Amino acid sequence: MEKVMRARQRGLALPVVLIILAVMLVSSIYLMKSIHSTSLATGNLAYDATLSQSVDLGLHTGFDWLQATARASKMMLNADSPLNGYVALMDTSKTPRDAAFWDGSRSISAPDGSAIEYVIHRLCLARLPYDDARNQCVQTAANPMALGSSVAVGSSLAGDTADYAGSPQVHYVITARLRGAKGASVTNQMIVLIGA
């Protein structure tokens, strides 16, 4: 008769399996929270991109007015035009976060009904013509070099032609903002150069 030796069972497998199950449970809870946080972050980024595209309507509206006014009479750009959101100077001590920065701004409606506020500032220190001795404006020199060319825009390759100095380009900054739901806020800016 063979004697079969049986080892006494100590029940070690049960606690190990229970520990593994507890670790898996905690890991799955963390994974679910992580997926939820990622979904919220992705949704917020998409919402921010949508607001940023909407606020661009304010930039384009301001640019269209500025371009049309410059074509009609550049002298009109020496004075404020509150109905169009235009301020003929810029106080550099103020930023878009300051309420005073938005003095003279204009509001328009976005396609979704939200209000877009924009303001156009001429980068000058006074409401005077850009070339007045009492005024200082941010300007770009006339006839900047064309991309890929060694000849300035408006110049001739001929050696016996006169080189006429053009008028400089005065800088304008258009700032637009949109305050969305849930405390969201987007502010975009655009720099415009217009020949004086």
Side-chain angles (χ1 to χ4, degrees):
M1 239 169 86
E2 275 181 42
K3 243 185 184 184
V4 178
M5 293 189 155
R6 294 187 184 201
R8 189 170 163 200
Q9 295 181 359
R10 297 185 182 154
L12 187 61
L14 182 62
V16 170
V17 170
L18 289 176
I19 291 171
I20 292 173
L21 284 174
V23 168
M24 288 174 58
L25 177 66
V26 169
S27 298
S28 63
I29 291 171
Y30 174 76
L31 182 62
M32 286 179 56
K33 286 189 176 213
S34 174
I35 289 171
H36 181 67
S37 298
T38 302
S39 298
L40 285 175
T42 303
N44 287 341
L45 288 173
Y47 182 63
D48 186 48
T50 301
L51 289 179
S52 184
Q53 289 175 352
S54 294
V55 81
D56 284 348
L57 176 63
L59 296 178
H60 290 293
T61 303
F63 176 76
D64 290 342
W65 177 85
L66 189 61
Q67 187 177 32
T69 304
R71 283 184 185 151
S73 171
K74 292 180 183 163
M75 293 300 293
M76 292 173 55
L77 297 175
N78 295 333
D80 294 349
S81 179
L83 292 175
N84 298 300
Y86 178 72
V87 180
L89 60 81
M90 182 161 188
D91 182 356
T92 56
S93 67
K94 309 238 179 331
T95 68
R97 293 178 188 239
D98 300 322
F101 179 88
W102 297 95
D103 289 348
S105 66
R106 179 178 178 216
S107 290
I108 58 172
S109 291
D112 65 355
S114 56
I116 299 170
E117 186 177 11
Y118 75 90
V119 64
I120 306 165
H121 289 104
R122 181 175 69 156
L123 297 182
C124 293
L125 294 180
R127 291 175 176 91
L128 297 167
Y130 80 97
D131 56 354
D132 191 295
R134 298 168 291 165
N135 197 6
Q136 293 179 355
C137 296
V138 177
Q139 304 173 27
T140 298
N143 295 333
M145 300 300 274
L147 292 176
S149 173
S150 61
V151 179
V153 176
S155 295
S156 173
L157 290 173
D160 60 346
T161 60
D163 191 16
Y164 297 106
S167 60
Q169 294 179 324
V170 178
H171 293 218
Y172 300 82
V173 63
I174 304 171
T175 309
R177 71 178 173 182
L178 172 67
R179 295 181 183 198
K182 302 176 186 175
S185 179
V186 174
T187 303
N188 288 352
Q189 287 187 316
M190 175 169 63
I191 302 288
V192 179
L193 282 67
I194 296 179

